[in-house]
Each structure stands twice: as C-alpha cells, then as structure tokens.
Amino acid sequence: MNHMKVISREKFGFDFIPAEFIPAGKDEYYLRNHQAAKPVDHWRNLQPDEIEILVQNANTSTDWGQIFVTEEFNPRYIKNNEFAGLVRIGRVGEVSLAYHDLTVPVGITNSRVVSCDIGDDVAVHNVRYLSHYIIGNQVMLLNIDEMHTSDHAKFGNGFVKDGEDEAVRITMDLGNEAGGREVYPFDGMTPGDAFLWSRFRDDSDLIKKLEEITQSVFDSKRGYYGTVAENCVIKNCRIVKDVAVGPCAYIKGANKLKNLTINSTEDEPTQIGEGVELVNGIISAGCHIFYGCKAVRFVMGPCSNLKYGARLIHSYLGDNSTVSCCEILNNLIFPAHEQHHNNSFLTASCVLGQSNIAAGATIGSNHNSRANDGEILAGRGFWPGLCTTLKHSCRFASFVLLAKADYPAELDIPLPFTLLSNDVAHDRLVVMPAYWWLYDMYALMRNSWKFKNRDKRQAPVQNIEYDFLAPDTVEEIFNARRLLEIWTAKAHFRKIGQAVAELSDESLAETGRKLLAGPGEALNDLEILGEKMENSRRPVVILKAQQAWGAYRQMLVYYAVNNLMDWLAQRGTEIKDKKVEIFSELAGARVADWVNLGGQLMPQETFNDLCDDIKSGKFANWNAIHEAYNKCWQVYPQAKQAHALATLLEIMNVDALTPDVWNAALEQALAAQKYICEQTRSSREKDFKNPFRQTTFRNDAEMQAVVGTIDDNSFVKQVQLETDVFEKRIANVKM
C-alpha cells in the first residue's frame, strides 16, 4: 500500500484535523485555542517592516498573513527558517537562556516551524521539523530532527479517538505474557490502580467499569496539539512525536520519544538522557531515564529511575524504584523496587514492593510446559539472590530471600522472612523461617528505614506502608506459626511411628505448640518437613523450626506494643494511673485478611466495599477513586492499632488486656528492641571481623581509613538511639 501523499504548498501546515472530525461552527484550531496559554486576541499580524526583516533574514512562509506575534516581538532574532500554517510567536527579547553550562540566545534559527504556538523568550535553533506543538515560556529546543504531533495523538494514554478502531488502543499486559491481565494505561495511574485492574479479572463488572471510566475521562476529539511546558530543555534529539512534556523537564540526546506523557514539575523535574527510546508510555514526575534505555507500553511511577540500557516492556514500575541494565517484561512492580544488573531478568510477575533482584537472577523465564509461561506473585521484600532461576508459577510470602540456585520446580512459600536454599547434594529444598530476624537484622532494619528515607515524592498519590511489621506480614506470621506447629507434630508422630491421618489440624497444632515451647532436646533428630511448598516429590526440610517459632512470637509482640504505644502517643495520654480500658476503642476481632493495594494496606472488607462503590458508578473518574484510597488511608492507622491489640491478646493467649498482661508485654517488647539493637550491630560487625575482608588491607589502620569501624556506622548508631528512646517510652506507659 502506498502511504505517500502529495500536498500543495498552499496546503502545507493546514487541514490538521480531517474535515469529518471538525464540529459544526468550528475550525481546525478550536482545540488548539483551548489548549493555548494566551487568548486569541493576544496576538497581532506582522507589520510590513517586520516581514521585510524576516525575508532579509532568509525566512520564508507560505502565507505571512498566517504568522502572528506579540507587541514584544523582535524579528531580528528570527533567521533562516521556514514557516507554514498558522504560527504564533511570543516575546522575543534581548535575552539569552542559560541552563547549567549551556547558554543560547532567545530566537528561532535554522528551523522549519509548522502550525505552532511559541511562548515568550523561547530559543528554537536547528529544529529541522517542528509541527503542531504549543511551546511554553522560556523553553530551549535545540538540534532536533523532527518534533511533531498527529491529529490522533493520545500521549501514551489507553483510549481511542473518534473514528479509530479498537485495535489501536494501547494496553499493558501486566503480570502475564498471554495478555489476560491487560489494563489501559493513563496519566496518573498508580500501582494500586494497576493492581485493582489486573489482579481481579474474575470480577467482570469491576473490569468493565474501570474500562469505561478510563475511556470517559479523556476527550476523544481529534486535534489536540503536543505541549512543552515552561522552562524545559529538549536538545540533540532525533524523533519526538505525540509527546506532552511537563514543566522543567530536561531531555537530551534521545533517539525516539513517541506517544508519551512526560510529567515534570519544578520540585520534581524529570530528566531523559542519551540514546533513550521510549514508546507508548506514561512517565511520572521526578523520573530519570538515561544511557540507552528502551521502554515500550509502560508506566513509571514518581521518582523512579531507568538507567544503563535497561529494558522495560508491558510493565508498571512503581514509585521510588531504580532499574539498571536489566530486562523487565510483563510485570506489575510495586514501589521501592531495585534491580541493577545487566544479566537479570524479570517476567510475568507481580512483585509487591521493597524488593531487590540480584545479578544473574532469571525470574520466570524457564518454560515448563508448551503453553505460555505462568506467573509469579511475590510479597513485599522479595529478594532472589545471585544467579537465581525460578520457574512459573510461584508464590512467595513477604521478605523471602532465595539463596543462589537453579530452583527446579514451582514454589509456594507461605513462611515470611525466610531463607530458601536448593540443597543439590541431598536433593532437597531447605527452608529457614524467620531468617532475617534471626541472622540478618541489620539488613531488615536498614531496608525499612531506607525506603522511607529515600521517598523523594513531593506530592505522593500512592500511599505506602514501609514497615516490615504490618498487618499483612503479621497475618503471614500467624499462618507460619500454625504451619510450623502442624509440621512439627507430624514429624514427632512420624518418629514414634504413630499415624496422623485421623488427627485434625487443631490437634496437631496443639501438640506442635507443646513441642516447640518445650526444651530443645524434644526436637532433637526430628526431621520437620514442609508441605505443598514445591511441585516435586523431594523433601522440603524446615531448619531451626523452634528458633523461628519463637522469633515469630517475638516479632508479633514487638509489632503489637509498638503500635499500641503509638495509639497512646497520638492521644497524649499518660496511663500510669489509668486502666487498660483506655484501649477499649480498639477492641474487636482480629482482622485476618488484608489487601496490599499498590503499597497501601487495607482490610479485605474495606477493599470489597471500595470495589462495590466503583461498580455502582459512585466514582466518575480516577481522581475520585484515588480520593477513596486516601480516605481508607486516613483510617488505616487506627485499623492497624486495633489489629495490634487483637494480635497482642492472641499471642499472650488472653481474652482481655489486664495491667499484668500489659506490663509483661512491655517487658517482652523491650527485650525485642534490645535484641534488635544487638543483632543490628552484630550482623553488621561480621563484615569488620571477617578475616577475609581484611586481606586486601595492609593493616588495621588502612582498613579503618577505607571502611571505618562498626562504631562509625551511622545506622548502628541510629538503632541504638531508637532503643534508648524505646526504653523511655516503655517506662512511661507501664501500669
């Protein structure tokens, strides 16, 4: 098919909108005039002397009567250009623009400008083709091959324009390569939106309503212009097509930018660098994309980074994430994700944030059937180690750490804070629950701190729970303790030769609790085996079950007391002389089911109500849905504190809180805090005492000069300070 058209010179720059899509009584500029910052009567025609100067400066136009300017227009700085269509040029003053070390004079030189609005004090130099754009004030456009907008531009949003076929709609296939979880990307989309839309596909009414809302919030009319807001710099780029750019963005050396919304603000400027190719995407404010990255059909959350040749395809990258050198396909990734290595690969996954993918990790690419790959669902804190490979489909609880291995079968790991290992020599899967708490406290505490500290968003939309102990992980701990109890009892009965087929889970759990709470000798020589954790016939061996069971209990008490002390602090209440009835407002059954909506936690019942409200048509647009998220977030602290009280009663095995129970819980929480302080120091101190870490230094003095000492570590100091404060808080709330 021949797509080439021949257009007369007189028509060049006109008829942007096909006639059949222009409403009665309107012209092709009606949407442009609506978009423009200045009213139509702000502009005036060129004066004869101005036209003469423009001609002398080697400028041409198909019709000088279609060039409009302001009273502060200076034609002397418009040189060697071709103008076509309706062009409006703002103030051209006796000034230059400076950005970092680059300074260029205001004006338009060596460019072809077709039907554009140019703002005040703009520098346009060597732009070979600039068409149908509205350029804000004090913008630099330098050395660009082509920069233009089509009449059907959607700027990365997943909606359909008038007269278009549904097949042209941009969708993202999140979490599944086969496309069964496709969503329509839109400007302002949060990880919570993407999760709501992609994960609950069985609710057809919900999915239909989300599709309707997304289509309805965009104007399907043809003829919107591309925009570059004030104080932007776009230089040394090849192709910029159908792109809307927010204020203060800095774009340099990009190969191709097509069908994008690039959000940016003065407080959160977005930067795009050399060799980048981005197509069909939404880029939130504060993002940085540099050095040969490729992204297609994607959304990047606020303050995220894509660097060093990373590839992001059919994926949502959550807020405050950094991805370098790797390949990411068909994923929904919640906030605070890290993936920094060229040979790591992540596909068809939903990762619930605060995660880290190590070098050589191949997550989900190993086919184990003739069908499309399956999926991976990983809770918060997912951390597959070096050269880890996983097969679809897998599910992981929160804060699961996978040791370097080629895991041969699908996995379902329900135990949080676990270290997973593939014991090839003995052909078994080895699971160490509560590993983080027992052996790597420094990393656990520092991760929770750094996620909060590195959140640079100035106007966050996505609410995020950063604490590693929150209702979602606490409920996983409760479930993990029960599984350890049942598996321990089965190991005991297996050892003594007693059948367990007739025993209920409750009976087994009771036996397991007694064994786990008893002396360690009772568990000697017991091989405790996990169940339904690997799709294979080989054994799944649980290590240090008794220590993990106790560690989980310590974590629950610590979580409960911490949050209940927050409850008291928020009310400015001293309870030395008061009764425990002060907690009565928090009384109630423990809420066991929670939803992680993009980083924001809410009870399942609250989430169900939210979905019902969406389906009923209560929310006209996504902003209204986001406001509903915020209302849930406002009541979350008290919901969390109520959950903490129920957790404390459960773990202390009492029906009601008494002064004695409360004081005992405080002592246990203080012991946990001191344990955290000690373990944070000792787990970090290993790096200083390891003799192999010392081998590259001539002496201790050189080592201290390079890496410091454990006493210099700022985070260790911080945890010690927090422990001192915690002890004082405990003293203030004892009864």
Side-chain angles (χ1 to χ4, degrees):
M1 180 183 293
N2 182 10
H3 294 283
M4 189 69 70
K5 297 179 181 179
V6 178
I7 300 172
S8 67
R9 187 168 296 276
E10 291 75 18
K11 288 291 186 179
F12 179 37
F14 298 97
D15 299 330
F16 178 57
I17 308 175
E20 63 268 28
F21 297 112
I22 300 177
K26 303 289 186 181
D27 60 22
E28 66 169 294
Y29 306 117
Y30 80 105
L31 291 175
R32 170 182 175 178
N33 292 334
H34 175 73
Q35 287 181 272
K38 297 180 176 65
V40 174
D41 60 8
H42 175 80
W43 308 98
R44 64 168 176 84
N45 289 105
L46 289 167
Q47 300 296 328
D49 61 323
E50 293 173 328
I51 296 176
E52 183 177 354
I53 294 173
L54 290 171
V55 172
Q56 290 174 351
N57 285 345
N59 297 288
T60 64
S61 173
T62 55
D63 183 356
W64 289 111
Q66 293 296 315
I67 310 299
F68 293 83
V69 297
T70 68
E71 293 300 332
E72 300 169 288
F73 174 72
N74 189 332
R76 290 194 301 145
Y77 302 109
I78 313 297
K79 299 179 181 179
N80 196 31
N81 304 293
E82 179 183 351
F83 296 102
L86 175 63
V87 177
R88 300 187 287 217
I89 304 172
R91 181 178 63 234
V92 181
E94 301 273 353
V95 295
S96 296
L97 298 179
Y99 184 86
H100 294 167
D101 296 326
L102 176 66
T103 301
V104 294
V106 161
I108 306 174
T109 64
N110 305 315
S111 300
R112 177 178 287 113
V113 181
V114 181
S115 195
C116 291
D117 285 2
I118 310 293
D120 295 337
D121 295 330
V122 171
V124 179
H125 302 299
N126 302 315
V127 180
R128 293 174 180 82
Y129 187 73
L130 176 62
S131 173
H132 298 94
Y133 260 88
I134 297 173
I135 309 300
N137 300 330
Q138 298 176 350
V139 167
M140 290 185 190
L141 301 180
L142 313 174
N143 306 322
I144 302 170
D145 285 350
E146 57 180 275
M147 181 173 175
H148 59 105
T149 305
S150 63
D151 73 290
H152 52 272
K154 293 171 280 290
F155 309 108
N157 295 290
F159 70 108
V160 178
K161 287 282 189 177
D162 293 345
E164 289 187 324
D165 190 89
E166 177 66 25
V168 306
R169 186 191 299 274
I170 298 299
T171 61
M172 294 190 302
D173 298 330
L174 302 181
N176 192 302
E177 292 178 285
R181 299 188 184 277
E182 67 273 4
V183 304
Y184 304 166
F186 60 88
D187 187 17
M189 185 181 228
T190 69
D193 301 333
F195 184 78
L196 176 71
W197 197 333
S198 65
R199 296 301 303 180
F200 300 91
R201 306 300 293 191
D202 54 317
D203 192 337
S204 58
D205 291 337
L206 175 65
I207 302 306
K208 182 179 179 182
K209 181 57 69 173
L210 296 178
E211 292 172 349
E212 291 173 355
I213 289 173
T214 304
Q215 176 66 31
S216 66
V217 296
F218 294 102
D219 192 341
S220 64
K221 299 184 185 70
R222 290 176 178 244
Y224 280 95
Y225 279 36
T227 55
V228 178
E230 66 273 7
N231 304 123
C232 287
V233 176
I234 304 178
K235 66 175 186 176
N236 305 323
C237 295
R238 295 191 60 197
I239 300 172
V240 180
K241 181 180 180 182
D242 293 350
V243 178
V245 184
C248 303
Y250 180 44
I251 302 172
K252 61 173 180 175
N255 286 340
K256 185 175 185 178
L257 305 176
K258 180 181 178 182
N259 193 31
L260 304 171
T261 292
I262 302 174
N263 290 291
S264 181
T265 68
E266 184 177 359
D267 292 331
E268 295 177 305
T270 289
Q271 298 186 18
I272 297 175
E274 296 82 354
V276 166
E277 297 176 4
L278 310 175
V279 179
N280 301 333
I282 307 292
I283 300 166
S284 299
C287 288
H288 295 79
I289 308 172
F290 289 118
Y291 310 128
C293 293
K294 318 291 182 186
V296 180
R297 298 195 183 221
F298 68 100
V299 175
M300 290 180 64
C303 300
S304 289
N305 303 293
L306 204 63
K307 301 186 293 187
Y308 306 121
R311 285 86 72 203
L312 181 70
I313 302 170
H314 276 285
S315 293
Y316 190 112
L317 181 64
D319 311 25
N320 301 319
S321 295
T322 299
V323 167
S324 304
C325 312
C326 61
E327 187 168 2
I328 293 180
L329 308 174
N330 303 97
N331 299 293
L332 170 55
I333 302 173
F334 284 18
H337 177 79
E338 303 287 328
Q339 191 166 345
H340 296 160
H341 305 284
N342 190 44
N343 51 348
S344 63
F345 183 82
L346 180 67
T347 185
S349 300
C350 180
V351 182
L352 303 190
Q354 301 166 36
S355 39
N356 195 313
I357 310 296
T362 305
I363 308 304
S365 70
N366 295 318
H367 288 262
N368 50 13
S369 76
R370 293 181 178 86
N372 290 321
D373 278 359
E375 301 178 351
I376 286 178
L377 179 60
R380 293 197 287 141
F382 180 56
W383 199 322
L386 295 168
C387 299
T388 295
T389 62
L390 295 175
K391 284 183 166 61
H392 288 130
S393 294
C394 294
R395 181 174 60 175
F396 299 94
S398 301
F399 294 92
V400 171
L401 175 64
L402 289 83
K404 173 182 178 178
D406 181 3
Y407 292 89
E410 301 93 327
L411 299 168
D412 186 5
I413 309 301
L415 312 177
F417 305 98
T418 285
L419 172 64
L420 201 65
S421 303
N422 183 35
D423 185 351
V424 177
H426 300 93
D427 191 24
R428 62 182 188 172
L429 184 69
V430 177
V431 181
M432 189 183 299
Y435 168 83
W436 292 79
W437 185 265
L438 291 169
Y439 299 107
D440 203 358
M441 186 68 77
Y442 181 88
L444 183 61
M445 298 301 295
R446 186 176 180 275
N447 283 350
S448 186
W449 165 81
K450 79 177 183 182
F451 296 139
K452 297 176 186 176
N453 189 60
R454 294 178 182 177
D455 190 344
K456 304 302 183 184
R457 300 172 301 163
Q458 299 299 307
V461 178
Q462 176 64 57
N463 303 305
I464 305 172
E465 170 62 87
Y466 288 115
D467 201 323
F468 67 88
L469 287 176
D472 59 337
T473 53
V474 164
E475 288 304 320
E476 289 178 335
I477 289 173
F478 273 117
N479 180 57
R481 277 171 58 88
R482 182 172 175 83
L483 289 175
L484 290 177
E485 291 161 3
I486 292 172
W487 296 339
T488 299
K490 287 184 176 182
H492 168 72
F493 289 127
R494 194 163 49 243
K495 181 181 179 182
I496 64 176
Q498 181 177 334
V500 299
E502 302 302 321
L503 297 177
S504 67
D505 282 351
E506 188 54 48
S507 176
L508 289 169
E510 184 178 353
T511 299
R513 278 193 295 274
K514 292 177 181 177
L515 290 168
L516 291 166
E521 293 79 7
L523 301 179
N524 285 346
D525 302 324
L526 274 189
E527 185 180 47
I528 301 174
L529 301 178
E531 298 175 356
K532 300 179 181 179
M533 298 177 72
E534 184 179 63
N535 186 21
S536 73
R537 295 182 179 180
R538 65 179 188 161
V540 177
V541 178
I542 308 297
L543 299 184
K544 301 185 182 297
Q546 188 173 44
Q547 294 95 318
W549 188 77
Y552 280 148
R553 185 190 186 283
Q554 191 176 41
M555 296 166 80
L556 292 176
V557 173
Y558 183 71
Y559 159 80
V561 169
N562 242 326
N563 281 280
L564 292 176
M565 287 199 300
D566 287 344
W567 162 268
L568 298 173
Q570 289 161 9
R571 282 145 188 79
T573 305
E574 292 284 345
I575 65 166
K576 283 185 176 181
D577 301 320
K578 297 182 181 292
K579 304 295 184 183
V580 292
E581 282 75 12
I582 194 167
F583 293 118
S584 61
E585 191 176 337
L586 300 177
R590 193 180 93 240
V591 176
D593 296 321
W594 293 76
V595 174
N596 185 340
L597 191 64
Q600 172 179 348
L601 302 183
M602 63 179 65
Q604 180 72 56
E605 185 177 352
T606 301
F607 176 77
N608 293 341
D609 291 342
L610 175 66
C611 292
D612 289 341
D613 287 341
I614 293 173
K615 290 184 287 186
S616 71
K618 181 176 180 180
F619 307 120
N621 52 49
W622 281 101
N623 287 337
I625 295 175
H626 294 166
E627 185 55 38
Y629 295 168
N630 289 335
K631 290 180 180 177
C632 296
W633 186 248
Q634 289 165 10
V635 299
Y636 170 66
Q638 183 163 333
K640 183 179 179 181
Q641 289 152 358
H643 182 263
L645 177 60
T647 295
L648 186 61
L649 296 178
E650 176 79 16
I651 202 63
M652 300 297 284
N653 196 27
V654 295
D655 295 325
L657 196 61
T658 65
D660 288 343
V661 171
W662 172 247
N663 288 335
L666 293 179
E667 290 300 324
Q668 293 175 26
L670 179 58
Q673 180 63 53
K674 291 180 177 180
Y675 171 79
I676 289 170
C677 186
E678 294 166 1
Q679 289 298 110
T680 298
R681 181 183 178 90
S682 64
S683 59
R684 183 69 178 97
E685 197 169 24
K686 295 173 186 176
D687 293 331
F688 293 91
K689 291 186 175 181
N690 184 338
F692 287 91
R693 292 291 182 101
Q694 301 168 5
T695 55
T696 61
F697 302 102
R698 292 178 295 106
N699 49 50
D700 289 343
E702 184 191 1
M703 182 176 179
Q704 290 181 20
V706 174
V707 300
T709 69
I710 185 65
D711 294 320
D712 298 327
N713 187 279
S714 60
F715 187 71
V716 171
K717 292 179 180 179
Q718 179 180 319
V719 174
Q720 179 61 64
L721 179 62
E722 290 172 355
T723 301
D724 295 340
V725 172
F726 191 90
E727 188 165 8
K728 292 176 182 177
R729 293 179 70 195
I730 290 286
N732 288 335
V733 297
K734 280 188 176 180
M735 293 184 186

